[in-house]
Amino acid sequence: MGGLPDDLIAMKKNAKGEEAMGRVAIVTGGTRGIGEAVSIALRDAGYRVVASYVGNVERARSFAERTGIAIFQWDVADHEACEASAGAIAATHGPVDVLINNAGITRDSSVLKMSRQDFDSVVDTNLGGSFNMVKAVLPGMRERGWGRIVNIGSINGQAGQFGQVNYSAAKSALHGFTKALAQETARYGVTVNTVAPGYIATDMVAAVPEEQLAKIIAKIPVGRLGEAHEIARMVDFLCAEESGFITGSTISINGGQHMY
């Protein structure tokens, strides 16, 4: 009782699809894990999605065949490659109105064992990649007076994590990047927000040793890992026309593991 009639639900879904129709969305690191779920969610909402990847060509091609989502290969840590790829996407698919900065890597070790290269590579990808992509697509968003940028942060950027000085630093900085950029873009109709996932059942988390993973789950009040589609649902919401009054926010999705 109290739910919407089926025909009204259908109308709302159709209206959402029409609203998104024609808008091009780039999802970096969009062929696997959280990125894959986000790419599919935005596709299903009516966006014309382009997913980027940097390695694992076979996995990316399988994703494209299975989903019908276009894929482009480039390294987000490469500033010139971001500019060139964003330009190619705009030329072939249309102006980019939505950017999801999801691409990320890990190079874990304690700080005394961490090489400068491992520190720099994580920061260059997880933080610098977002800067590179924003520089590539923001001018067009400003000119058109509309845009949505969603950065994928992390609980470890909020609370820190042993063995992840590089990753935690990059993700924490991304939260500050979001707040500053949101102030610069608000008057142009461009919103900028961060979604900070906790531990999600992806390939990255699956690589954690079983004993350590059990300890992690024990600290999550809801008693389980998150699912990638739960993150994608929030990203889809933040990209909607109706979310234009939300900007500069960090939204945590972590099962209650870290509250502040």
Side-chain angles (χ1 to χ4, degrees):
M1 295 181 63
L4 293 172
D6 289 345
D7 57 345
L8 184 54
I9 292 175
M11 288 174 62
K12 289 173 71 65
K13 286 183 177 179
N14 289 339
K16 181 177 176 58
E18 290 174 4
E19 163 201 308
M21 193 68 66
R23 295 201 188 280
V24 175
I26 294 177
V27 182
T28 66
T31 64
R32 56 191 298 183
I34 290 173
E36 175 179 357
V38 170
S39 294
I40 292 171
L42 293 181
R43 178 205 65 185
D44 291 348
Y47 297 89
R48 289 188 287 163
V49 179
V50 177
S52 84
Y53 70 102
V54 66
N56 203 332
V57 175
E58 184 176 341
R59 174 77 174 263
R61 287 176 177 171
S62 174
F63 163 84
E65 292 171 1
R66 177 165 41 86
T67 64
I69 293 172
I71 57 173
F72 272 66
Q73 184 178 22
W74 77 88
D75 182 357
V76 297
D78 183 331
H79 185 83
E80 292 183 357
C82 290
E83 290 279 357
S85 298
I89 290 168
T92 56
H93 291 75
V96 178
D97 286 322
V98 175
L99 170 64
I100 314 301
N101 284 313
N102 169 74
I105 61 173
T106 57
R107 298 288 185 272
D108 296 351
S109 68
S110 61
V111 68
L112 292 181
K113 296 179 181 179
M114 183 178 294
S115 69
R116 182 56 194 247
Q117 182 179 357
D118 283 347
F119 183 85
D120 287 346
S121 63
V122 169
V123 172
D124 286 347
T125 297
N126 298 9
L127 176 62
S130 296
F131 171 82
N132 292 340
M133 289 305 304
V134 166
K135 288 279 285 186
V137 304
L138 182 58
M141 292 179 179
R142 284 182 22 150
E143 289 174 7
R144 294 185 298 277
W146 198 95
R148 297 287 185 265
I149 298 171
V150 181
N151 302 314
I152 304 300
S154 171
I155 186 174
N156 293 343
Q158 298 171 309
Q161 177 60 42
F162 182 94
Q164 286 197 328
V165 165
N166 47 7
Y167 185 86
S168 296
K171 291 298 188 179
S172 180
L174 190 61
H175 298 162
F177 174 88
T178 293
K179 296 179 186 299
L181 184 61
Q183 295 180 47
E184 295 184 14
T185 62
R187 65 183 180 273
Y188 299 104
V190 179
T191 66
V192 188
N193 293 288
T194 294
V195 174
Y199 286 86
I200 308 301
T202 63
D203 291 345
M204 184 181 292
V205 172
V208 175
E210 186 174 342
E211 183 178 345
Q212 185 179 345
L213 186 58
K215 292 179 180 179
I216 290 171
I217 294 174
K219 295 179 180 179
I220 302 174
V222 301
R224 65 174 176 86
L225 297 174
E227 297 292 337
H229 68 81
E230 294 175 300
I231 309 305
R233 179 77 170 113
M234 177 54 66
V235 174
D236 178 30
F237 172 77
L238 291 172
C239 292
E241 187 76 33
E242 298 90 339
S243 299
F245 202 58
I246 305 172
T247 195
S249 294
T250 295
I251 300 173
S252 300
I253 308 178
N254 59 39
Q257 185 177 359
H258 181 66
M259 305 179 191
Y260 76 109

